[in-house]
Amino acid sequence: MVNYDENGTPKKNKLSLQIDLSKFEPATDEEKKQQDVMSKSSTFFKDGMKKLRKNPLAMASMIVLVLIIVLIIVAPLVIPYGYSEILSVNGKRDKGAKNLAPFTYSKM
């Protein structure tokens, strides 16, 4: 037995995947004007930047990235050693670059 609604279409089961066609009616002129008034035009970039500024974690990550980039540029100017001095051992160039190893255990 099928139940019908006021339009004469069969009522659907709440768990079914049938689409309610009344939700897809064309918008009226009044609804279209309301939509034009509600939204100001914005570029894709401006919209993305607004969302980025509202996200505090994203802003913190951007600040960290900018600091890292600044350190990459400024650090070689501040460090008193040149590249050739870092790669040399006892005045000779160390081809194995053993002095650049990040960590070595002492021999006991």
Side-chain angles (χ1 to χ4, degrees), residues 43-84:
T43 64
F44 183 72
F45 182 75
K46 283 183 182 179
D47 190 37
M49 289 306 293
K50 280 184 205 175
K51 290 183 181 183
L52 180 69
R53 281 189 221 114
K54 288 181 182 179
N55 188 344
L57 190 59
M59 287 304 295
S61 299
M62 290 290 286
I63 291 170
V64 169
L65 286 174
V66 168
L67 287 175
I68 290 172
I69 291 171
V70 168
L71 284 174
I72 288 171
I73 294 170
V74 173
L77 302 174
V78 177
I79 294 175
Y81 303 106
Y83 184 72
S84 60

Side-chain angles (χ1 to χ4, degrees), residues 6-41:
E6 63 274 355
N7 295 332
T9 56
K11 287 188 178 180
K12 66 176 189 168
N13 184 359
K14 293 187 181 196
L15 298 176
S16 73
L17 296 176
Q18 294 174 344
I19 297 173
D20 185 12
L21 296 178
S22 65
K23 294 182 180 180
F24 293 96
E25 294 175 355
T28 63
D29 290 333
E30 183 179 324
E31 291 172 337
K32 290 178 186 177
K33 287 180 185 177
Q34 183 181 8
Q35 180 65 27
D36 289 340
V37 171
M38 286 174 40
S39 63
K40 291 184 178 180
S41 63

